[in-house]
Amino acid sequence: MQESVFMGIRRVCYAGLDSVTLRQRAAERLAAAMPIAAYAFATTDPDTALLNHMVSDRMPSTMARHFVEHLYPDEGARFATRAMRQRRTVFPVDELPPEFPTCMREHGYPSGTHMVLADGKRMWGMWCVMREGARAHVLRRERAFLARLVPHLTRGLQRAALLDVAGESGVDAAVGVLVLDAVGRVALRTAPVARMLDDLADVGVDLTDG
């Protein structure tokens, strides 16, 4: 079963898909090889290694908000950059800064695996697979499996980035302007902004506190 899942995800990586579809289909196939309680699969800007888009499933809204507002912009980004430079690709979430596993446990995910998808010089994405619990030897076997997938997922995101850019070349290049006042309310918004915001919106991420 695991080998067929590996081949299926590898095919997805080279199928010429956009980044959102690639991430969704890879996650769907991975679920056949291991029980995934939730996941967060992000693309990053290859020049800065900063997160620019996320696809997630079953990630609680309070957890998502805490991640994007507090965890990632600070120590999370620095840790990911260090991991890339050290060529570390797959590791237990417990090796992340302590705030990360603490936040996960508080939301019912006591274990998980974090992947840094980089080619040695540039980071193209990160994928955190969260679990409700598993024996240590099971997690080690799963991480070995994920390590085999990392190079293919990385190349898939590289190709998807080129596809996304090519797709934008024929889009109306009108400038969009969005101005917020001192308390964050919209003061000025031009028509092209709607399409731009739709393009930026994460998939499966709920940042409400409900």
Side-chain angles (χ1 to χ4, degrees), residues 15-179:
L17 304 172
D18 64 87
S19 67
V20 171
T21 305
L22 185 156
R23 285 175 280 165
Q24 290 175 322
R25 292 190 181 176
E28 290 168 0
R29 283 160 175 75
L30 184 62
M34 62 184 69
I36 300 174
Y39 73 83
F41 196 166
T43 55
T44 54
D45 173 47
D47 293 321
T48 64
L50 293 176
L51 182 151
N52 57 23
H53 190 272
M54 187 185 297
V55 171
S56 75
D57 185 41
R58 288 165 288 175
M59 188 175 181
S61 60
T62 51
M63 184 179 182
R65 179 174 289 278
H66 190 57
F67 176 79
V68 300
E69 292 183 352
H70 303 288
L71 297 182
Y72 181 76
D74 188 18
E75 184 58 29
R78 290 195 292 270
F79 181 91
T81 302
R82 287 196 299 270
M84 176 187 68
R85 291 171 179 166
Q86 296 167 0
R87 296 182 181 274
R88 297 185 64 212
T89 59
V90 178
F91 41 85
V93 171
D94 284 343
E95 294 185 15
L96 290 165
E99 295 85 352
F100 283 81
T102 297
C103 179
M104 286 177 53
R105 284 192 292 269
E106 289 174 350
H107 288 86
Y109 306 129
S111 64
T113 299
H114 193 76
M115 288 169 273
V116 172
L117 306 175
D119 58 10
K121 296 181 180 179
R122 291 183 168 187
M123 188 188 309
W124 297 88
M126 296 181 294
W127 192 0
C128 183
V129 177
M130 291 168 259
R131 296 285 305 271
E132 292 177 345
R135 295 179 181 272
H137 73 278
V138 173
L139 292 172
R140 285 194 297 270
R141 186 169 63 245
E142 290 178 354
R143 288 174 189 132
F145 174 69
L146 293 172
R148 293 176 59 204
L149 285 171
V150 164
H152 303 292
L153 291 167
T154 301
R155 286 193 284 271
L157 291 180
Q158 289 174 316
R159 293 179 176 213
L162 294 174
L163 179 65
D164 291 343
V165 170
E168 293 171 359
S169 62
V171 175
D172 181 8
V175 175
V177 177
L178 180 67
V179 179

